[in-house]
Amino acid sequence: MNKADNQMSESIWLGMVLALSGGFMDAYSYLCRDEVFANAQTGNILLFGVNLVERNFAVAVRYLCPILAFTVGIIIADFIRFKVSPERQIHWRQIVVLIEAVILFGVAFIPRGYSLPANTLISLACGIQVESFRSIKGNGIATTMCIGNLRSGTQNLCEYIISKNKEYIRKCGLYYGIIFCFAVGAIIGSFFIKYINESAILICSVLLMIAFLMMYKGNNER
């Protein structure tokens, strides 16, 4: 059996929970925090460049800070991965998920008028997640963005049409399923934002705590 089949951090169920969280974070930062994308740094880089050229420096900074925070999140995840001993009872991925949950819990208490620090912290959490969870069942899959998953899912669909190999359609379903969960997360986020405003991100923190607890099932992975 492939090692990926035994790792809880690469399980389909955990990937679904993380994708729900990823979609929720993106919807929250866009709808509740001045239309900034927490996950889609391509859009932030584009908007940063456009506003920089137009000399809208204050707006440009609104997009630059999440980009930098996302990068720092990647660094933090790698630092934890290298520094946490394999002999520890808790897995390093559980640590990063717990950090994410705490960060987002704190964001819930940042007033709506202070979107810059809120978006910066959300992007930090996203950077941590995207670096820590990069595959499901041995397949490279992101849980905080969709473009790569859409490309890979469609490629596997084409491979199935050509070869009729059922393994390709299984992988296609995996990629599209994660995209679906991401979209559901965005829908859930939109719903809660209407009723509890900036506190809605607490739901995302709960999802991450569920992911943290799920990984105890496979905490012997390395």
Side-chain angles (χ1 to χ4, degrees):
M1 183 179 290
N2 192 305
K3 182 181 178 182
D5 292 332
N6 293 322
Q7 289 190 341
M8 178 54 68
S9 63
E10 292 202 8
S11 75
I12 294 174
W13 288 108
L14 183 66
M16 291 169 64
V17 172
L18 292 173
L20 287 170
S21 170
F24 198 116
M25 282 188 278
D26 233 10
Y28 177 85
S29 65
Y30 187 82
L31 295 174
C32 194
R33 299 291 187 176
D34 291 344
E35 299 185 345
V36 173
F37 294 105
N39 304 341
Q41 300 308 317
T42 301
N44 289 338
I45 291 170
L46 169 65
L47 293 169
F48 167 71
V50 169
N51 283 284
L52 195 64
V53 170
E54 295 180 352
R55 298 185 179 182
N56 297 325
F57 299 121
V59 179
V61 169
R62 181 196 305 171
Y63 296 104
L64 176 62
C65 288
I67 296 168
L68 296 177
F70 189 89
T71 305
V72 172
I74 294 171
I75 294 170
I76 290 173
D78 280 334
F79 181 82
I80 293 172
R81 176 165 62 93
F82 286 120
K83 290 296 182 179
V84 174
S85 170
E87 304 305 318
R88 289 179 66 98
Q89 186 176 3
I90 186 170
H91 192 268
W92 72 269
R93 287 190 177 93
Q94 288 178 283
I95 295 174
V96 298
V97 165
L98 185 60
I99 291 171
E100 269 193 89
V102 171
I103 289 172
L104 297 181
F105 181 84
V107 169
F109 298 96
I110 298 176
R112 196 156 188 165
Y114 295 88
S115 292
L116 181 58
N119 286 327
T120 300
L121 288 172
I122 296 169
S123 289
L124 178 68
C126 288
I128 291 172
Q129 182 170 317
V130 77
E131 181 64 8
S132 302
F133 300 92
R134 297 187 288 182
S135 61
I136 296 176
K137 297 296 183 181
N139 301 286
I141 293 180
T143 57
T144 61
M145 58 193 74
C146 293
I147 186 168
N149 296 340
L150 183 60
R151 183 203 64 80
S152 297
T154 306
Q155 177 187 348
N156 278 282
L157 177 61
C158 292
E159 293 282 0
Y160 170 73
I161 292 172
I162 294 169
S163 68
K164 305 303 180 185
N165 185 334
K166 292 184 179 180
E167 180 65 15
Y168 288 118
I169 200 66
R170 185 191 69 80
K171 290 182 178 181
C172 171
L174 179 60
Y175 283 107
Y176 285 158
I178 293 299
I179 292 172
F180 175 77
C181 289
F182 185 93
V184 170
I187 293 169
I188 294 172
S190 300
F191 174 81
F192 279 101
I193 288 166
K194 290 181 180 179
Y195 294 99
I196 54 177
N197 300 311
E198 62 271 9
S199 298
I201 198 67
L202 290 172
I203 306 298
C204 197
S205 190
V206 170
L207 287 172
L208 290 169
M209 287 306 301
I210 291 172
F212 173 82
L213 295 173
M214 288 174 69
M215 278 187 283
Y216 269 113
K217 180 181 178 181
N219 65 358
N220 61 337
E221 64 178 70
R222 295 292 176 257

